[in-house]
């Protein structure tokens, strides 16, 4: 924590629901009484390009951008994008990452190779990391589009925020017809955090 401000960096690729996740995260933080600032970088998001969302919260936050090396939690929706952003984490930072590989354009065109054993490298660099099988748990919840909510469930166990406030934030931000399956996905995400191997 820097000057009472905590920093969460969300990273992934376009189409993964990162911006909605950052909205839900900001909502639960505001419901908890924090001052919240949020900023996004999503130049080619709709084409599968990198998406980064900065969420900062505390008693008073002045800038929405997380300084390099000051992220408390790296919240990753895809392995390679998460790995690329490790330098932005504090030395004792935590990682929540979806166990998913999406080939960037260079790999898809055969010009580069997707790095191997990324999850192991992340775990080695930051032992307090959690690898989540978001797709499998979203399927279990009944909707593949709830991967981001599964990941929010895992993230929630690293934060001192009442579980009911998370449910309220989801209810506020998700269309009514999808609330039940999103709550289910969130709870599955919470369980995977507790059962991970350290």
């Amino acid at each position: 924590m820097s000057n009472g401000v905590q920093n969460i960096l969300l990273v992934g690729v376009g189409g993964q629901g990162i911006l909605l996740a950052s909205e839900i995260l900001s909502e639960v933080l505001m419901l908890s009484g924090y001052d919240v600032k949020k900023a996004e970088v999503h130049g080619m998001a709709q084409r599968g390009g990198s998406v980064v969302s900065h969420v900062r919260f505390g008693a008073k936050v002045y800038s929405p951008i997380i300084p390099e090396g000051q992220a408390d939690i790296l919240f990753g929706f895809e392995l390679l994008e998460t790995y690329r952003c490790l330098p932005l984490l504090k030395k004792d930072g935590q990682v929540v990452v979806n166990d998913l590989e999406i080939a960037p354009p260079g790999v898809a065109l055969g010009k580069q190779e997707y790095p191997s054993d990324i999850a192991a490298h992340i775990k080695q660099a930051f032992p307090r990391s959690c690898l989540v099988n978001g797709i499998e748990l979203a399927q279990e919840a009944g909707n593949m589009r709830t991967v981001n909510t599964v990941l929010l469930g895992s993230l929630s166990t690293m934060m001192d925020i009442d579980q009911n406030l998370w449910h309220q934030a989801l209810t506020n931000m998700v269309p009514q017809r999808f609330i039940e399956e999103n709550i289910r996905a969130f709870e599955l995400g919470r369980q995977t955090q507790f059962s991970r191997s350290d």
Side-chain angles (χ1 to χ4, degrees), residues 85-183:
C85 290
L86 289 181
L88 302 176
L89 258 179
K90 291 181 176 178
K91 289 182 180 178
D92 61 346
Q94 300 180 82
V95 180
V96 178
V97 59
N98 190 20
D99 188 10
L100 176 67
E101 298 181 358
I102 298 176
V107 173
L109 293 170
K111 295 178 180 179
Q112 299 169 307
E113 287 188 13
Y114 196 100
S116 60
D117 299 325
I118 288 182
H121 289 307
I122 292 172
K123 188 76 173 177
Q124 183 176 13
F126 293 92
R128 298 166 69 200
S129 56
C130 174
L131 184 68
V132 183
N133 193 329
I135 290 177
E136 183 178 296
L137 292 171
Q139 288 174 327
E140 190 177 333
N143 188 336
M144 278 287 293
R145 294 175 63 86
T146 61
V147 171
N148 55 354
T149 313
V150 168
L151 297 171
L152 281 168
S154 291
L155 173 69
S156 74
T157 65
M158 296 180 172
M159 303 175 69
D160 187 19
I161 294 177
D162 187 281
Q163 190 173 343
N164 291 325
L165 290 180
W166 284 97
H167 287 190
Q168 186 179 337
L170 285 165
T171 301
N172 292 352
M173 304 302 292
V174 172
Q176 187 171 3
R177 66 187 184 278
F178 299 128
I179 289 171
E180 187 176 323
E181 58 201 29
N182 273 275
I183 297 288

Side-chain angles (χ1 to χ4, degrees), residues 7 27 34 38 45 53 68 70-71 73 75 103-104 116 122 137 145 149-150 165-166:
N7 304 307
E27 176 75 2
Y34 291 107
K38 180 168 69 72
S53 181
E68 187 165 346
Q70 290 300 310
I73 299 174
F75 185 27
S116 60
I122 292 172
L137 292 171
R145 294 175 63 86
T149 313
V150 168
L165 290 180
W166 284 97

